[in-house]
Amino acid sequence: MEDIDAIAVLQDPVRRRLYEYVVAQGREVGRNEAAEATGVARTLAAHHLDKLTGAGLLESGSRRLSGRSGPGAGRPAKVYVRARGERSVSLPARDYRTAAELLAEAAEQAGLDAGLCAAARRRGEALRGPAGPCGGLDEAVETLAARGYEPYREDVEGEAAGAVRMRNCPFHAVAESFPPLVCGMNLALLQGLLGTEGPVRARMDARPGECCVVVEAVEASA
């Protein structure tokens, strides 16, 4: 399916709510849970979830949601998770990814890591504008969500403040080919965006399938 056709599937408001709910969980979601969360009937949720899977926006599988196995555990249920592929549409056609990869390759070969990070930090500060450093983790979530990072709060046992993790890296495609360069740039950008003198700090802490940066309250990282 062409990218434009796949994205058009999200035009239906119920389908879009279901997609956004599954994506926001960062884990497999069953039909009953998705239906209840979005306020639609299970059969309607199943129809739209399968449409999203057919469009390549979700991936489906099956497992026992009870957590039990063996006799009496029940039949496996169908579950959904965001597809690993990336969809984009540009009219007329543009190829910014190739340009970004070429620039990243040149910067890496020339040893321009420090210069790139300095530029990224300045860009983050420019995006923040005249506002002061980020005031806390709730504000960080709002700021990061606006930039497409898909942030979520992570409670840390024994620590009141917790942290903010991000399910999406906006630079994922280029970061896969040039991880040290692009992840360092991303960290510098977020340090400029959130500030380094306020109550939160961004630092590198890579996790598989997530952004390489974590944002913590100063007290949590002390």
Side-chain angles (χ1 to χ4, degrees), residues 113-129 134 143-144 146-149 166 168-172 180-196 201-204 211-215:
D113 304 55
L116 176 61
C117 288
R121 191 171 293 106
R122 289 194 299 270
R123 175 58 63 91
E125 292 169 352
L127 291 170
R128 174 157 51 97
C134 181
T143 301
L144 294 167
R147 304 298 305 174
Y149 282 91
M166 293 160 270
N168 182 50
C169 171
F171 315 110
H172 173 72
L181 182 76
V182 178
C183 290
M185 177 200 74
N186 185 35
L187 174 61
L189 177 71
L190 292 181
Q191 287 173 336
L193 181 65
L194 301 175
T196 57
R201 297 286 189 277
R203 67 174 179 86
M204 199 75 73
C211 176
C212 58
V213 176
V214 63
V215 178

Side-chain angles (χ1 to χ4, degrees), residues 63-77:
R63 65 178 177 85
R64 288 187 172 89
L65 298 178
S66 65
R68 303 193 305 272
S69 60
R75 295 176 58 188

Side-chain angles (χ1 to χ4, degrees), residues 16-127:
R16 184 166 182 172
R17 289 206 311 272
L18 286 162
Y19 174 77
E20 289 174 344
Y21 178 78
V22 172
V23 167
Q25 306 318 300
R27 56 174 172 78
E28 293 177 333
V29 174
R31 288 172 167 175
N32 288 339
E33 178 187 347
E36 183 177 352
T38 55
V40 300
R42 183 185 183 279
T43 52
L44 182 61
H47 168 75
H48 285 306
L49 289 167
D50 286 338
K51 283 282 188 181
L52 290 164
T53 302
L57 297 172
L58 297 180
E59 294 176 357
S60 64
S62 61
R63 65 178 177 85
R64 288 187 172 89
L65 298 178
S66 65
R68 303 193 305 272
S69 60
R75 295 176 58 188
K78 200 164 188 178
V79 292
Y80 303 84
V81 68
R82 176 165 52 187
R84 287 164 287 185
E86 182 178 315
R87 302 283 188 172
S88 63
V89 174
S90 176
L91 298 173
R94 297 287 189 261
D95 189 6
Y96 299 114
R97 179 183 297 182
T98 297
E101 289 175 345
L102 288 170
L103 290 168
E105 181 179 356
E108 188 173 76
Q109 291 179 353
L112 300 178
D113 304 55
L116 176 61
C117 288
R121 191 171 293 106
R122 289 194 299 270
R123 175 58 63 91
E125 292 169 352
L127 291 170

